[in-house]
Amino acid sequence: MTPSASQEPPGAGLGDRFGRVATDLRVSLTDRCNLRCTYCMPAEGLDWLPNPSLLTDAEIVRLIDVAVHRLGVTEVRFTGGEPLLRRGLVEIVRAVAGLTRRPRMMLTTNGIGLARLAEPLAAAGLDRVNVSLDTTDPAQFKALTRRDRHADVVAGLAASAAAGLLPVKMNAVLLRGVNDDEAVGLLAFALERGYELRFIEQMPLDAGHTWRREEMVTGAEILAALRSAYTLRPDPDARGGSPAETWIVDGHAAVGGGPARVGVIASVSSPFCGACDRTRLTADGAIRSCLFSQEETDLRGALRGGAGDEELADLWRKAMWAKPAGHGIDDPKFLQPARPMSAIGG
Ligand code: SAM
């Protein structure tokens, strides 16, 4: 990609020097989580962000309003940490659903508590969920997440489908020597229930900095395993800015009609940075142009200092204009960001 020579963002939206325009906003609602997945967080948790530094519900809605009405954002995904731990979640969703240019709203969650919340969230205006589940085996789940909550996640998935949060998508990370034999089993689980499964390559974003590229289970390996049991055809639907490359699973149907799909998000082995359309807001009010950015732009200070909407929009545009060309994981000088995935918003 060739950068534009201009030092300043030209348009009204969230363009960058490489011609990309961000329209998909990821909002982290908390850095806390009720699981302790070994590849994400240490057993004892992390030093959580202090409460006063967290954006309030009203501040979050205000910034989403700015993003939607002044910056061209059309999709909002709530994440964390674990977004279901945010008390005001249903009310935040309701408020965003009431915006004049209502964005599509999604939630990425570990599913614990979703059995109770799926219905109220759907009624408030949530469109869809992605539920993370790395194993079909309750004992493996307990070892991997350090919590015995497999049944809660399975119930949360079912409740999401019943509440019409369709398609229900499932996210799975495979770890070498842990659950790397589960690709086919996870797909069978998803197909039986009509969920759309996505495998995510493990990225260098763990709090313990233990990621090793040579240990990562690659997208190619996952596809080879799936092809041993299923016939996969390239998905004719355009990928667009979506991180997942998807395949049609021959002979299987999705809930609500149409063919069943499976996806692989090969962020490391097959980066899709050139088509990235994402912008991120952390729970403490910082804009990140990329999961792997070394830099962030604080909006909370300006917000609490009385900045108007256009001033906030301008800070946001400048932050996104500086978005790097790519995540640079393969660069020998690559540095893992200071914030782990749970504090950025995955
Ligand atoms: N708690 C929510 C959940 O479990 O979906 C939202 C946050 S979590 C960080 C979002 C997703 O990131 C989960 O699917 C999780 O498995 C994935 N994840 C966490 N650490 C990762 C890593 N190092 N590489 C790839 N995916 C990771």
Side-chain angles (χ1 to χ4, degrees), residues 1 36 42 137 147 176 191 208 224 227 254 284 304 316 336:
M1 283 187 285
R36 295 286 181 274
D137 172 11
R147 299 286 186 274
R176 179 85 57 209
L191 290 172
R227 288 197 156 113
D284 55 346
R304 293 189 181 166
W316 204 324
Q336 195 172 323

Side-chain angles (χ1 to χ4, degrees), residues 30 32-35 37 39-41 78-84 107-111 130-134 170-173 175 198 200-207 211 267-268 291-292 336 340-343 345-346:
T30 175
R32 292 173 190 249
C33 193
N34 40 9
L35 295 181
C37 299
Y39 58 92
C40 190
M41 248 189 223
F78 298 108
T79 180
E82 176 42 50
L84 293 180
L107 178 75
T108 298
T109 170
N110 63 30
N130 277 57
V131 179
S132 303
L133 182 60
D134 300 329
M170 230 175 91
N171 289 349
V173 177
L175 308 168
R198 266 133 179 60
I200 311 175
E201 278 182 351
Q202 191 189 1
M203 295 179 276
L205 285 169
D206 57 312
W211 182 88
S267 331
V268 180
L291 261 179
F292 295 93
Q336 195 172 323
M341 177 80 127
S342 55

Side-chain angles (χ1 to χ4, degrees), residues 140-162:
Q140 176 67 271
F141 184 93
K142 187 175 172 190
L144 224 158
T145 66
R146 304 187 177 105
R147 299 286 186 274
D148 195 4
R149 308 297 296 269
H150 190 263
D152 299 79
V153 182
V154 173
L157 279 159
S160 304

Side-chain angles (χ1 to χ4, degrees), residues 18-296:
F18 301 96
R20 297 165 297 187
V21 179
T23 52
D24 175 351
L25 168 61
R26 310 277 161 127
V27 180
S28 173
L29 294 179
T30 175
D31 59 329
R32 292 173 190 249
C33 193
N34 40 9
L35 295 181
R36 295 286 181 274
C37 299
T38 50
Y39 58 92
C40 190
M41 248 189 223
E44 65 280 11
L46 294 164
D47 288 334
W48 311 122
L49 292 167
N51 273 335
S53 74
L54 295 178
L55 296 179
T56 64
D57 294 357
E59 287 171 335
I60 288 171
V61 175
R62 163 114 188 263
L63 290 178
I64 295 175
D65 185 333
V66 168
V68 167
H69 292 120
R70 294 181 184 258
L71 297 169
V73 162
T74 54
E75 281 195 13
V76 174
R77 178 181 294 276
F78 298 108
T79 180
E82 176 42 50
L84 293 180
L85 294 179
R86 177 100 192 191
R87 282 227 178 93
L89 174 63
V90 173
E91 288 317 312
I92 292 173
V93 168
R94 200 187 316 283
V96 175
L99 295 179
T100 313
R101 280 193 227 158
R102 178 197 190 291
R104 276 176 53 72
M105 266 185 290
M106 288 86 142
L107 178 75
T108 298
T109 170
N110 63 30
I112 296 171
L114 202 51
R116 181 174 56 83
L117 282 166
E119 187 63 51
L121 283 167
L126 188 72
D127 293 295
R128 255 198 345 89
V129 289
N130 277 57
V131 179
S132 303
L133 182 60
D134 300 329
T135 173
T136 60
D137 172 11
Q140 176 67 271
F141 184 93
K142 187 175 172 190
L144 224 158
T145 66
R146 304 187 177 105
R147 299 286 186 274
D148 195 4
R149 308 297 296 269
H150 190 263
D152 299 79
V153 182
V154 173
L157 279 159
S160 304
L165 295 167
L166 299 174
V168 172
K169 294 195 183 174
M170 230 175 91
N171 289 349
V173 177
L174 296 185
L175 308 168
R176 179 85 57 209
V178 179
N179 62 342
D180 54 349
D181 56 350
E182 290 211 47
V184 169
L186 280 162
L187 182 54
F189 175 96
L191 290 172
E192 270 163 34
R193 294 161 179 80
Y195 309 149
E196 205 172 305
L197 176 62
R198 266 133 179 60
F199 291 96
I200 311 175
E201 278 182 351
Q202 191 189 1
M203 295 179 276
L205 285 169
D206 57 312
H209 292 229
T210 59
W211 182 88
R212 298 278 170 274
R213 193 192 168 113
E214 47 298 351
E215 282 175 25
M216 184 190 82
V217 181
T218 64
E221 279 179 76
I222 296 168
L223 277 173
L226 296 179
R227 288 197 156 113
S228 70
Y230 295 97
T231 304
L232 305 183
R233 279 186 292 119
D235 188 345
D237 283 359
R239 176 175 177 175
S242 159
E245 194 170 352
T246 52
W247 282 265
I248 305 282
V249 188
D250 250 1
H252 293 267
V255 166
R261 288 185 164 80
V262 63
V264 175
I265 303 183
S267 331
V268 180
S269 65
S270 187
F272 38 84
C273 304
C276 180
D277 62 357
R278 278 171 284 291
T279 179
R280 295 173 187 275
L281 176 63
T282 65
D284 55 346
I287 298 299
R288 296 180 63 92
S289 60
C290 170
L291 261 179
F292 295 93
S293 299
Q294 292 297 330
E295 274 143 41
E296 30 187 66

